[in-house]
Amino acid sequence: MSAEAVLSRINVMKPWLGEEEARALAEVVASGWVAQGPKVKEFEEKFAAAQGVRHAVAASSCTTALHLALAVAGIGPGDDVVVPSLSFIATANAVTYLGARPVFCDVDPVTGNVTAETIHAALTLDTRAVIVVDQGGVPLDLDPIRVLCDRHEITVIEDAACAVGSTYRGRPVGAGADVAVWSFHPRKILTTGEGGMLTTNRADWAARARTLREHSMSVSAADRHGPMLAPPEFFLEVGFNYRMTDLQAAVGIVQLGRLPEVLARRREIAARYVAGLSGLRGLRLVSDPPYGTSNFQSFWIEVLPTFGTTREGLLERLAEAGISARRGIMAAHRQPAYKWRDTGNACLQQTERLNDRTLILPVFHELDDEGMNRVISTIRAAAAGADA
Ligand SMILES: *Cc1c(COP(=O)(O)O)cnc(C)c1O
């Protein structure tokens, strides 16, 4: 890599944080109440309103929110939960935490998302739930999945970790599932450092998730510390400490306010990539499906055998130009943690193909014209097989 390229390295992503987040944090510090309290409540209310759902329950991460979602859905030992292998490992892990069995299903070759057909192929007599994922922010086609799952009385859990701001048939993703979960890790669209959220229209599930995340205490910490004489508390079942802090929530509230601007910029960057890269032989670009819009949390491309170089070759060319791209979405069934487990026997051909051929290009709010042009020209040069 040349010295110039080192100086102007382009990361695959970069969170967009500023003065407003710093001020919000300072206010919480000054207030003296830094653990879960009024800011978490405010963030939950604003998030629920933004997603068009009745209840939002904040958690320490999307992974812990997913654990809570499966718990409130009543999943336990002996149950099968269908999940895509083509997802971040947390999707399968959460099922394993409950003592249930993740059963891997394949994905649509175009969107990279599960479909009613791929889920159907993985159903067993013990299937109690399915975790559907809006992979990289591309919305999944929920309606046919709902029909299938309603017929078999299977709970639909939506892992919308990457998908805040993505839409399905004109409304935010997640709203049509029984329960959905979201991530605020810096790799995602909005960040609180670490953090997650569970959303649902079911009041009973929201209430149980609230107590489970706080050791299943009968009285929340906020209520216990409010009055001078605290009421006695009881521990109703074995719970967890999956709380978000008010420090995180204060940042989350500011970030949520930035969402429209963040979305507009990401879609603008995606459009620039499409304009610069479409028509290249052997390259397929992620795009909006006919029924929804992506937030372009990930802008991925598929490198076909007819392209000028392999996926690994293209990653190297990008690295030489100071561009940090990433291999596409992982496949859990190929990881040591799951390789030797019994995870069903559905065919995972499309999963393996996408796992082998896709890569993710840089997209972040402050990516400038020079950066985008460098990404585009490096890929065009690789397509032509020319030396950079
Ligand atoms: C990032 C991610 C998670 C985990 O989110 P955390 O907030 O880091 O726990 C889960 N599922 C998917 C699909 C993800 O992309």
Side-chain angles (χ1 to χ4, degrees), residues 60-66 86-92 131-136 159-163 181-188 193-197 297 329:
S60 52
S61 70
C62 179
T63 306
T64 56
L66 198 48
L86 193 79
S87 184
F88 183 60
I89 194 86
T91 310
I131 303 180
V132 297
V133 183
D134 303 285
Q135 200 49 260
D159 181 345
C162 302
V181 293
W182 314 79
S183 174
F184 307 121
H185 184 274
R187 182 71 186 84
K188 311 301 160 84
E194 294 277 0
M197 195 73 82
Q297 185 269 341
I329 312 301

PDB file of all heavy atoms in Angstrom, residues 60-66 86-92 131-136 159-163 181-188 193-197 297 329, ligand 1:
ATOM      1  N   SER A  60     -29.282  -4.642  26.570  1.00  0.00           N
ATOM      2  CA  SER A  60     -27.857  -4.322  26.506  1.00  0.00           C
ATOM      3  C   SER A  60     -27.261  -4.565  25.124  1.00  0.00           C
ATOM      4  O   SER A  60     -26.198  -4.048  24.805  1.00  0.00           O
ATOM      5  CB  SER A  60     -27.108  -5.149  27.556  1.00  0.00           C
ATOM      6  OG  SER A  60     -27.437  -6.518  27.406  1.00  0.00           O
ATOM      7  N   SER A  61     -27.926  -5.374  24.303  1.00  0.00           N
ATOM      8  CA  SER A  61     -27.475  -5.616  22.928  1.00  0.00           C
ATOM      9  C   SER A  61     -28.629  -6.249  22.161  1.00  0.00           C
ATOM     10  O   SER A  61     -29.658  -6.614  22.758  1.00  0.00           O
ATOM     11  CB  SER A  61     -26.267  -6.560  22.899  1.00  0.00           C
ATOM     12  OG  SER A  61     -26.645  -7.872  23.274  1.00  0.00           O
ATOM     13  N   CYS A  62     -28.434  -6.423  20.871  1.00  0.00           N
ATOM     14  CA  CYS A  62     -29.447  -7.138  20.087  1.00  0.00           C
ATOM     15  C   CYS A  62     -29.425  -8.616  20.442  1.00  0.00           C
ATOM     16  O   CYS A  62     -30.462  -9.271  20.454  1.00  0.00           O
ATOM     17  CB  CYS A  62     -29.182  -6.934  18.599  1.00  0.00           C
ATOM     18  SG  CYS A  62     -30.356  -7.787  17.547  1.00  0.00           S
ATOM     19  N   THR A  63     -28.251  -9.131  20.748  1.00  0.00           N
ATOM     20  CA  THR A  63     -28.141 -10.546  21.113  1.00  0.00           C
ATOM     21  C   THR A  63     -28.949 -10.835  22.381  1.00  0.00           C
ATOM     22  O   THR A  63     -29.690 -11.828  22.436  1.00  0.00           O
ATOM     23  CB  THR A  63     -26.661 -10.922  21.335  1.00  0.00           C
ATOM     24  OG1 THR A  63     -25.923 -10.560  20.166  1.00  0.00           O
ATOM     25  CG2 THR A  63     -26.495 -12.400  21.611  1.00  0.00           C
ATOM     26  N   THR A  64     -28.845  -9.974  23.383  1.00  0.00           N
ATOM     27  CA  THR A  64     -29.610 -10.204  24.615  1.00  0.00           C
ATOM     28  C   THR A  64     -31.103  -9.951  24.372  1.00  0.00           C
ATOM     29  O   THR A  64     -31.957 -10.637  24.947  1.00  0.00           O
ATOM     30  CB  THR A  64     -29.079  -9.344  25.786  1.00  0.00           C
ATOM     31  OG1 THR A  64     -29.095  -7.961  25.418  1.00  0.00           O
ATOM     32  CG2 THR A  64     -27.667  -9.748  26.176  1.00  0.00           C
ATOM     33  N   ALA A  65     -31.426  -8.994  23.487  1.00  0.00           N
ATOM     34  CA  ALA A  65     -32.839  -8.768  23.136  1.00  0.00           C
ATOM     35  C   ALA A  65     -33.409 -10.011  22.453  1.00  0.00           C
ATOM     36  O   ALA A  65     -34.562 -10.393  22.685  1.00  0.00           O
ATOM     37  CB  ALA A  65     -32.971  -7.546  22.228  1.00  0.00           C
ATOM     38  N   LEU A  66     -32.596 -10.674  21.633  1.00  0.00           N
ATOM     39  CA  LEU A  66     -33.027 -11.888  20.947  1.00  0.00           C
ATOM     40  C   LEU A  66     -33.246 -13.025  21.954  1.00  0.00           C
ATOM     41  O   LEU A  66     -34.203 -13.805  21.840  1.00  0.00           O
ATOM     42  CB  LEU A  66     -31.959 -12.263  19.912  1.00  0.00           C
ATOM     43  CG  LEU A  66     -32.311 -13.220  18.772  1.00  0.00           C
ATOM     44  CD1 LEU A  66     -33.598 -12.838  18.073  1.00  0.00           C
ATOM     45  CD2 LEU A  66     -31.149 -13.255  17.770  1.00  0.00           C
ATOM     46  N   LEU A  86     -27.135 -18.020   6.919  1.00  0.00           N
ATOM     47  CA  LEU A  86     -26.508 -16.802   6.399  1.00  0.00           C
ATOM     48  C   LEU A  86     -26.911 -15.615   7.273  1.00  0.00           C
ATOM     49  O   LEU A  86     -27.819 -14.846   6.941  1.00  0.00           O
ATOM     50  CB  LEU A  86     -26.927 -16.549   4.948  1.00  0.00           C
ATOM     51  CG  LEU A  86     -26.089 -15.490   4.224  1.00  0.00           C
ATOM     52  CD1 LEU A  86     -24.767 -16.077   3.754  1.00  0.00           C
ATOM     53  CD2 LEU A  86     -26.835 -14.889   3.044  1.00  0.00           C
ATOM     54  N   SER A  87     -26.269 -15.479   8.414  1.00  0.00           N
ATOM     55  CA  SER A  87     -26.563 -14.389   9.344  1.00  0.00           C
ATOM     56  C   SER A  87     -25.407 -14.296  10.318  1.00  0.00           C
ATOM     57  O   SER A  87     -24.611 -15.230  10.446  1.00  0.00           O
ATOM     58  CB  SER A  87     -27.855 -14.672  10.108  1.00  0.00           C
ATOM     59  OG  SER A  87     -28.186 -13.572  10.944  1.00  0.00           O
ATOM     60  N   PHE A  88     -25.339 -13.178  11.034  1.00  0.00           N
ATOM     61  CA  PHE A  88     -24.350 -13.082  12.092  1.00  0.00           C
ATOM     62  C   PHE A  88     -24.627 -14.202  13.108  1.00  0.00           C
ATOM     63  O   PHE A  88     -25.779 -14.581  13.326  1.00  0.00           O
ATOM     64  CB  PHE A  88     -24.409 -11.694  12.746  1.00  0.00           C
ATOM     65  CG  PHE A  88     -23.359 -11.508  13.790  1.00  0.00           C
ATOM     66  CD1 PHE A  88     -22.019 -11.610  13.470  1.00  0.00           C
ATOM     67  CD2 PHE A  88     -23.711 -11.251  15.106  1.00  0.00           C
ATOM     68  CE1 PHE A  88     -21.048 -11.462  14.440  1.00  0.00           C
ATOM     69  CE2 PHE A  88     -22.749 -11.089  16.077  1.00  0.00           C
ATOM     70  CZ  PHE A  88     -21.411 -11.204  15.748  1.00  0.00           C
ATOM     71  N   ILE A  89     -23.578 -14.719  13.704  1.00  0.00           N
ATOM     72  CA  ILE A  89     -23.658 -15.918  14.553  1.00  0.00           C
ATOM     73  C   ILE A  89     -24.665 -15.784  15.704  1.00  0.00           C
ATOM     74  O   ILE A  89     -25.226 -16.771  16.184  1.00  0.00           O
ATOM     75  CB  ILE A  89     -22.246 -16.265  15.102  1.00  0.00           C
ATOM     76  CG1 ILE A  89     -22.180 -17.671  15.702  1.00  0.00           C
ATOM     77  CG2 ILE A  89     -21.756 -15.235  16.122  1.00  0.00           C
ATOM     78  CD1 ILE A  89     -21.906 -18.745  14.712  1.00  0.00           C
ATOM     79  N   ALA A  90     -24.922 -14.536  16.144  1.00  0.00           N
ATOM     80  CA  ALA A  90     -25.825 -14.313  17.286  1.00  0.00           C
ATOM     81  C   ALA A  90     -27.220 -14.862  17.032  1.00  0.00           C
ATOM     82  O   ALA A  90     -27.909 -15.281  17.972  1.00  0.00           O
ATOM     83  CB  ALA A  90     -25.903 -12.822  17.607  1.00  0.00           C
ATOM     84  N   THR A  91     -27.659 -14.872  15.763  1.00  0.00           N
ATOM     85  CA  THR A  91     -29.006 -15.349  15.443  1.00  0.00           C
ATOM     86  C   THR A  91     -29.167 -16.814  15.886  1.00  0.00           C
ATOM     87  O   THR A  91     -30.146 -17.171  16.537  1.00  0.00           O
ATOM     88  CB  THR A  91     -29.277 -15.203  13.926  1.00  0.00           C
ATOM     89  OG1 THR A  91     -28.941 -13.884  13.510  1.00  0.00           O
ATOM     90  CG2 THR A  91     -30.731 -15.468  13.594  1.00  0.00           C
ATOM     91  N   ALA A  92     -28.191 -17.635  15.535  1.00  0.00           N
ATOM     92  CA  ALA A  92     -28.243 -19.054  15.932  1.00  0.00           C
ATOM     93  C   ALA A  92     -27.912 -19.224  17.414  1.00  0.00           C
ATOM     94  O   ALA A  92     -28.529 -20.034  18.113  1.00  0.00           O
ATOM     95  CB  ALA A  92     -27.267 -19.865  15.083  1.00  0.00           C
ATOM     96  N   ILE A 131     -36.746 -17.462  13.164  1.00  0.00           N
ATOM     97  CA  ILE A 131     -36.137 -16.127  13.226  1.00  0.00           C
ATOM     98  C   ILE A 131     -35.847 -15.712  11.792  1.00  0.00           C
ATOM     99  O   ILE A 131     -35.033 -16.340  11.104  1.00  0.00           O
ATOM    100  CB  ILE A 131     -34.837 -16.105  14.061  1.00  0.00           C
ATOM    101  CG1 ILE A 131     -35.094 -16.616  15.480  1.00  0.00           C
ATOM    102  CG2 ILE A 131     -34.280 -14.674  14.109  1.00  0.00           C
ATOM    103  CD1 ILE A 131     -33.852 -16.633  16.366  1.00  0.00           C
ATOM    104  N   VAL A 132     -36.532 -14.670  11.346  1.00  0.00           N
ATOM    105  CA  VAL A 132     -36.310 -14.151  10.000  1.00  0.00           C
ATOM    106  C   VAL A 132     -35.404 -12.926  10.127  1.00  0.00           C
ATOM    107  O   VAL A 132     -35.479 -12.195  11.114  1.00  0.00           O
ATOM    108  CB  VAL A 132     -37.645 -13.808   9.309  1.00  0.00           C
ATOM    109  CG1 VAL A 132     -38.482 -15.067   9.128  1.00  0.00           C
ATOM    110  CG2 VAL A 132     -38.432 -12.765  10.104  1.00  0.00           C
ATOM    111  N   VAL A 133     -34.522 -12.728   9.159  1.00  0.00           N
ATOM    112  CA  VAL A 133     -33.507 -11.673   9.252  1.00  0.00           C
ATOM    113  C   VAL A 133     -33.587 -10.766   8.024  1.00  0.00           C
ATOM    114  O   VAL A 133     -33.654 -11.265   6.893  1.00  0.00           O
ATOM    115  CB  VAL A 133     -32.084 -12.282   9.334  1.00  0.00           C
ATOM    116  CG1 VAL A 133     -31.033 -11.190   9.493  1.00  0.00           C
ATOM    117  CG2 VAL A 133     -31.983 -13.285  10.485  1.00  0.00           C
ATOM    118  N   ASP A 134     -33.593  -9.456   8.246  1.00  0.00           N
ATOM    119  CA  ASP A 134     -33.484  -8.483   7.149  1.00  0.00           C
ATOM    120  C   ASP A 134     -31.989  -8.265   6.934  1.00  0.00           C
ATOM    121  O   ASP A 134     -31.387  -7.346   7.506  1.00  0.00           O
ATOM    122  CB  ASP A 134     -34.165  -7.159   7.525  1.00  0.00           C
ATOM    123  CG  ASP A 134     -35.620  -7.349   7.905  1.00  0.00           C
ATOM    124  OD1 ASP A 134     -36.437  -7.554   7.007  1.00  0.00           O
ATOM    125  OD2 ASP A 134     -35.933  -7.313   9.124  1.00  0.00           O
ATOM    126  N   GLN A 135     -31.405  -9.152   6.140  1.00  0.00           N
ATOM    127  CA  GLN A 135     -29.950  -9.213   6.075  1.00  0.00           C
ATOM    128  C   GLN A 135     -29.333  -7.968   5.422  1.00  0.00           C
ATOM    129  O   GLN A 135     -29.704  -7.591   4.318  1.00  0.00           O
ATOM    130  CB  GLN A 135     -29.523 -10.486   5.330  1.00  0.00           C
ATOM    131  CG  GLN A 135     -28.108 -10.891   5.604  1.00  0.00           C
ATOM    132  CD  GLN A 135     -27.780 -10.922   7.095  1.00  0.00           C
ATOM    133  OE1 GLN A 135     -27.183  -9.989   7.628  1.00  0.00           O
ATOM    134  NE2 GLN A 135     -28.179 -11.969   7.778  1.00  0.00           N
ATOM    135  N   GLY A 136     -28.418  -7.360   6.141  1.00  0.00           N
ATOM    136  CA  GLY A 136     -27.741  -6.169   5.625  1.00  0.00           C
ATOM    137  C   GLY A 136     -28.676  -4.990   5.399  1.00  0.00           C
ATOM    138  O   GLY A 136     -28.304  -4.016   4.750  1.00  0.00           O
ATOM    139  N   ASP A 159     -35.274 -10.683  13.323  1.00  0.00           N
ATOM    140  CA  ASP A 159     -33.981 -10.128  13.702  1.00  0.00           C
ATOM    141  C   ASP A 159     -33.714  -8.971  12.744  1.00  0.00           C
ATOM    142  O   ASP A 159     -33.203  -9.159  11.640  1.00  0.00           O
ATOM    143  CB  ASP A 159     -32.901 -11.219  13.602  1.00  0.00           C
ATOM    144  CG  ASP A 159     -31.518 -10.724  14.006  1.00  0.00           C
ATOM    145  OD1 ASP A 159     -31.331  -9.491  14.082  1.00  0.00           O
ATOM    146  OD2 ASP A 159     -30.633 -11.564  14.227  1.00  0.00           O
ATOM    147  N   ALA A 160     -34.106  -7.779  13.187  1.00  0.00           N
ATOM    148  CA  ALA A 160     -33.954  -6.569  12.379  1.00  0.00           C
ATOM    149  C   ALA A 160     -32.724  -5.790  12.853  1.00  0.00           C
ATOM    150  O   ALA A 160     -32.689  -4.557  12.774  1.00  0.00           O
ATOM    151  CB  ALA A 160     -35.222  -5.715  12.474  1.00  0.00           C
ATOM    152  N   ALA A 161     -31.712  -6.524  13.326  1.00  0.00           N
ATOM    153  CA  ALA A 161     -30.495  -5.900  13.865  1.00  0.00           C
ATOM    154  C   ALA A 161     -29.952  -4.813  12.941  1.00  0.00           C
ATOM    155  O   ALA A 161     -29.530  -3.752  13.400  1.00  0.00           O
ATOM    156  CB  ALA A 161     -29.422  -6.967  14.097  1.00  0.00           C
ATOM    157  N   CYS A 162     -29.964  -5.105  11.637  1.00  0.00           N
ATOM    158  CA  CYS A 162     -29.344  -4.202  10.647  1.00  0.00           C
ATOM    159  C   CYS A 162     -30.355  -3.274  10.002  1.00  0.00           C
ATOM    160  O   CYS A 162     -29.982  -2.487   9.130  1.00  0.00           O
ATOM    161  CB  CYS A 162     -28.710  -5.025   9.530  1.00  0.00           C
ATOM    162  SG  CYS A 162     -27.473  -6.186  10.084  1.00  0.00           S
ATOM    163  N   ALA A 163     -31.643  -3.383  10.352  1.00  0.00           N
ATOM    164  CA  ALA A 163     -32.676  -2.883   9.441  1.00  0.00           C
ATOM    165  C   ALA A 163     -33.475  -1.682   9.931  1.00  0.00           C
ATOM    166  O   ALA A 163     -34.547  -1.405   9.403  1.00  0.00           O
ATOM    167  CB  ALA A 163     -33.611  -4.019   9.074  1.00  0.00           C
ATOM    168  N   VAL A 181     -36.278  -7.589  16.995  1.00  0.00           N
ATOM    169  CA  VAL A 181     -35.134  -7.102  17.774  1.00  0.00           C
ATOM    170  C   VAL A 181     -34.215  -6.274  16.892  1.00  0.00           C
ATOM    171  O   VAL A 181     -34.132  -6.483  15.684  1.00  0.00           O
ATOM    172  CB  VAL A 181     -34.342  -8.269  18.427  1.00  0.00           C
ATOM    173  CG1 VAL A 181     -35.186  -8.956  19.485  1.00  0.00           C
ATOM    174  CG2 VAL A 181     -33.851  -9.275  17.394  1.00  0.00           C
ATOM    175  N   TRP A 182     -33.521  -5.324  17.527  1.00  0.00           N
ATOM    176  CA  TRP A 182     -32.733  -4.305  16.827  1.00  0.00           C
ATOM    177  C   TRP A 182     -31.383  -4.139  17.514  1.00  0.00           C
ATOM    178  O   TRP A 182     -31.282  -4.331  18.720  1.00  0.00           O
ATOM    179  CB  TRP A 182     -33.471  -2.954  16.881  1.00  0.00           C
ATOM    180  CG  TRP A 182     -34.924  -3.072  16.548  1.00  0.00           C
ATOM    181  CD1 TRP A 182     -35.923  -3.503  17.378  1.00  0.00           C
ATOM    182  CD2 TRP A 182     -35.543  -2.803  15.287  1.00  0.00           C
ATOM    183  NE1 TRP A 182     -37.125  -3.500  16.711  1.00  0.00           N
ATOM    184  CE2 TRP A 182     -36.928  -3.070  15.427  1.00  0.00           C
ATOM    185  CE3 TRP A 182     -35.066  -2.333  14.050  1.00  0.00           C
ATOM    186  CZ2 TRP A 182     -37.827  -2.898  14.384  1.00  0.00           C
ATOM    187  CZ3 TRP A 182     -35.970  -2.167  13.014  1.00  0.00           C
ATOM    188  CH2 TRP A 182     -37.331  -2.446  13.186  1.00  0.00           C
ATOM    189  N   SER A 183     -30.373  -3.740  16.728  1.00  0.00           N
ATOM    190  CA  SER A 183     -29.035  -3.554  17.303  1.00  0.00           C
ATOM    191  C   SER A 183     -28.580  -2.104  17.189  1.00  0.00           C
ATOM    192  O   SER A 183     -28.823  -1.443  16.179  1.00  0.00           O
ATOM    193  CB  SER A 183     -28.018  -4.433  16.574  1.00  0.00           C
ATOM    194  OG  SER A 183     -26.700  -4.155  17.034  1.00  0.00           O
ATOM    195  N   PHE A 184     -27.876  -1.642  18.224  1.00  0.00           N
ATOM    196  CA  PHE A 184     -27.257  -0.311  18.203  1.00  0.00           C
ATOM    197  C   PHE A 184     -25.742  -0.427  18.331  1.00  0.00           C
ATOM    198  O   PHE A 184     -25.076   0.449  18.885  1.00  0.00           O
ATOM    199  CB  PHE A 184     -27.845   0.575  19.310  1.00  0.00           C
ATOM    200  CG  PHE A 184     -29.348   0.636  19.275  1.00  0.00           C
ATOM    201  CD1 PHE A 184     -30.104   0.235  20.359  1.00  0.00           C
ATOM    202  CD2 PHE A 184     -30.006   1.079  18.139  1.00  0.00           C
ATOM    203  CE1 PHE A 184     -31.491   0.265  20.324  1.00  0.00           C
ATOM    204  CE2 PHE A 184     -31.399   1.117  18.081  1.00  0.00           C
ATOM    205  CZ  PHE A 184     -32.135   0.717  19.182  1.00  0.00           C
ATOM    206  N   HIS A 185     -25.203  -1.523  17.827  1.00  0.00           N
ATOM    207  CA  HIS A 185     -23.746  -1.673  17.723  1.00  0.00           C
ATOM    208  C   HIS A 185     -23.253  -0.694  16.655  1.00  0.00           C
ATOM    209  O   HIS A 185     -23.969  -0.409  15.696  1.00  0.00           O
ATOM    210  CB  HIS A 185     -23.430  -3.130  17.342  1.00  0.00           C
ATOM    211  CG  HIS A 185     -21.963  -3.424  17.302  1.00  0.00           C
ATOM    212  ND1 HIS A 185     -21.197  -3.185  16.182  1.00  0.00           N
ATOM    213  CD2 HIS A 185     -21.134  -3.915  18.241  1.00  0.00           C
ATOM    214  CE1 HIS A 185     -19.941  -3.523  16.451  1.00  0.00           C
ATOM    215  NE2 HIS A 185     -19.879  -3.965  17.692  1.00  0.00           N
ATOM    216  N   PRO A 186     -22.020  -0.169  16.792  1.00  0.00           N
ATOM    217  CA  PRO A 186     -21.534   0.831  15.815  1.00  0.00           C
ATOM    218  C   PRO A 186     -21.510   0.340  14.367  1.00  0.00           C
ATOM    219  O   PRO A 186     -21.503   1.149  13.441  1.00  0.00           O
ATOM    220  CB  PRO A 186     -20.109   1.124  16.291  1.00  0.00           C
ATOM    221  CG  PRO A 186     -20.040   0.653  17.697  1.00  0.00           C
ATOM    222  CD  PRO A 186     -21.096  -0.378  17.901  1.00  0.00           C
ATOM    223  N   ARG A 187     -21.528  -0.966  14.152  1.00  0.00           N
ATOM    224  CA  ARG A 187     -21.552  -1.501  12.789  1.00  0.00           C
ATOM    225  C   ARG A 187     -22.920  -1.318  12.133  1.00  0.00           C
ATOM    226  O   ARG A 187     -23.074  -1.484  10.923  1.00  0.00           O
ATOM    227  CB  ARG A 187     -21.165  -2.986  12.832  1.00  0.00           C
ATOM    228  CG  ARG A 187     -21.099  -3.696  11.499  1.00  0.00           C
ATOM    229  CD  ARG A 187     -19.906  -3.228  10.685  1.00  0.00           C
ATOM    230  NE  ARG A 187     -19.936  -3.807   9.342  1.00  0.00           N
ATOM    231  CZ  ARG A 187     -20.625  -3.317   8.322  1.00  0.00           C
ATOM    232  NH1 ARG A 187     -21.371  -2.239   8.482  1.00  0.00           N
ATOM    233  NH2 ARG A 187     -20.595  -3.889   7.139  1.00  0.00           N
ATOM    234  N   LYS A 188     -23.921  -0.966  12.930  1.00  0.00           N
ATOM    235  CA  LYS A 188     -25.276  -0.842  12.402  1.00  0.00           C
ATOM    236  C   LYS A 188     -25.568   0.623  12.057  1.00  0.00           C
ATOM    237  O   LYS A 188     -24.647   1.410  11.937  1.00  0.00           O
ATOM    238  CB  LYS A 188     -26.279  -1.433  13.392  1.00  0.00           C
ATOM    239  CG  LYS A 188     -25.879  -2.834  13.895  1.00  0.00           C
ATOM    240  CD  LYS A 188     -25.727  -3.876  12.772  1.00  0.00           C
ATOM    241  CE  LYS A 188     -24.910  -5.069  13.175  1.00  0.00           C
ATOM    242  NZ  LYS A 188     -25.584  -6.109  13.872  1.00  0.00           N
ATOM    243  N   GLY A 193     -23.084   2.641  21.233  1.00  0.00           N
ATOM    244  CA  GLY A 193     -21.885   1.919  21.670  1.00  0.00           C
ATOM    245  C   GLY A 193     -22.146   0.434  21.619  1.00  0.00           C
ATOM    246  O   GLY A 193     -21.689  -0.269  20.730  1.00  0.00           O
ATOM    247  N   GLU A 194     -22.872  -0.059  22.579  1.00  0.00           N
ATOM    248  CA  GLU A 194     -23.527  -1.364  22.550  1.00  0.00           C
ATOM    249  C   GLU A 194     -24.976  -1.084  22.918  1.00  0.00           C
ATOM    250  O   GLU A 194     -25.254  -0.146  23.651  1.00  0.00           O
ATOM    251  CB  GLU A 194     -22.940  -2.326  23.591  1.00  0.00           C
ATOM    252  CG  GLU A 194     -21.506  -2.739  23.374  1.00  0.00           C
ATOM    253  CD  GLU A 194     -21.333  -3.893  22.395  1.00  0.00           C
ATOM    254  OE1 GLU A 194     -22.340  -4.406  21.865  1.00  0.00           O
ATOM    255  OE2 GLU A 194     -20.173  -4.267  22.159  1.00  0.00           O
ATOM    256  N   GLY A 195     -25.873  -1.910  22.461  1.00  0.00           N
ATOM    257  CA  GLY A 195     -27.267  -1.709  22.848  1.00  0.00           C
ATOM    258  C   GLY A 195     -28.203  -2.431  21.902  1.00  0.00           C
ATOM    259  O   GLY A 195     -27.830  -2.773  20.780  1.00  0.00           O
ATOM    260  N   GLY A 196     -29.415  -2.675  22.387  1.00  0.00           N
ATOM    261  CA  GLY A 196     -30.407  -3.349  21.562  1.00  0.00           C
ATOM    262  C   GLY A 196     -31.807  -2.974  21.983  1.00  0.00           C
ATOM    263  O   GLY A 196     -32.001  -2.259  22.977  1.00  0.00           O
ATOM    264  N   MET A 197     -32.791  -3.448  21.227  1.00  0.00           N
ATOM    265  CA  MET A 197     -34.192  -3.149  21.533  1.00  0.00           C
ATOM    266  C   MET A 197     -35.041  -4.330  21.101  1.00  0.00           C
ATOM    267  O   MET A 197     -34.693  -5.018  20.133  1.00  0.00           O
ATOM    268  CB  MET A 197     -34.613  -1.884  20.776  1.00  0.00           C
ATOM    269  CG  MET A 197     -35.899  -1.238  21.232  1.00  0.00           C
ATOM    270  SD  MET A 197     -35.784  -0.361  22.820  1.00  0.00           S
ATOM    271  CE  MET A 197     -35.086   1.213  22.343  1.00  0.00           C
ATOM    272  N   GLN A 297     -27.600  -0.691   5.089  1.00  0.00           N
ATOM    273  CA  GLN A 297     -26.649  -0.939   6.183  1.00  0.00           C
ATOM    274  C   GLN A 297     -25.409  -1.592   5.590  1.00  0.00           C
ATOM    275  O   GLN A 297     -24.289  -1.277   5.982  1.00  0.00           O
ATOM    276  CB  GLN A 297     -27.289  -1.844   7.241  1.00  0.00           C
ATOM    277  CG  GLN A 297     -26.426  -2.065   8.492  1.00  0.00           C
ATOM    278  CD  GLN A 297     -25.526  -3.292   8.381  1.00  0.00           C
ATOM    279  OE1 GLN A 297     -25.757  -4.170   7.553  1.00  0.00           O
ATOM    280  NE2 GLN A 297     -24.501  -3.345   9.202  1.00  0.00           N
ATOM    281  N   ILE A 329     -21.805 -11.686   4.221  1.00  0.00           N
ATOM    282  CA  ILE A 329     -22.402 -12.251   5.431  1.00  0.00           C
ATOM    283  C   ILE A 329     -21.859 -13.661   5.685  1.00  0.00           C
ATOM    284  O   ILE A 329     -21.685 -14.450   4.766  1.00  0.00           O
ATOM    285  CB  ILE A 329     -23.937 -12.329   5.286  1.00  0.00           C
ATOM    286  CG1 ILE A 329     -24.520 -11.002   4.757  1.00  0.00           C
ATOM    287  CG2 ILE A 329     -24.590 -12.724   6.598  1.00  0.00           C
ATOM    288  CD1 ILE A 329     -24.238  -9.794   5.594  1.00  0.00           C
TER     289      ILE A 329
HETATM  290  C1  LIG B   1     -25.194  -7.407  14.544  1.00  0.00           C
HETATM  291  C2  LIG B   1     -26.194  -8.461  14.512  1.00  0.00           C
HETATM  292  C3  LIG B   1     -26.640  -9.085  15.684  1.00  0.00           C
HETATM  293  C4  LIG B   1     -26.015  -8.805  17.030  1.00  0.00           C
HETATM  294  O1  LIG B   1     -26.181  -7.495  17.460  1.00  0.00           O
HETATM  295  P1  LIG B   1     -25.473  -7.027  18.829  1.00  0.00           P
HETATM  296  O2  LIG B   1     -26.166  -5.747  19.163  1.00  0.00           O
HETATM  297  O3  LIG B   1     -24.032  -6.829  18.492  1.00  0.00           O
HETATM  298  O4  LIG B   1     -25.677  -8.076  19.839  1.00  0.00           O
HETATM  299  C5  LIG B   1     -27.643 -10.023  15.588  1.00  0.00           C
HETATM  300  N1  LIG B   1     -28.178 -10.353  14.403  1.00  0.00           N
HETATM  301  C6  LIG B   1     -27.787  -9.809  13.249  1.00  0.00           C
HETATM  302  C7  LIG B   1     -28.453 -10.188  11.964  1.00  0.00           C
HETATM  303  C8  LIG B   1     -26.771  -8.842  13.257  1.00  0.00           C
HETATM  304  O5  LIG B   1     -26.362  -8.308  12.113  1.00  0.00           O
END
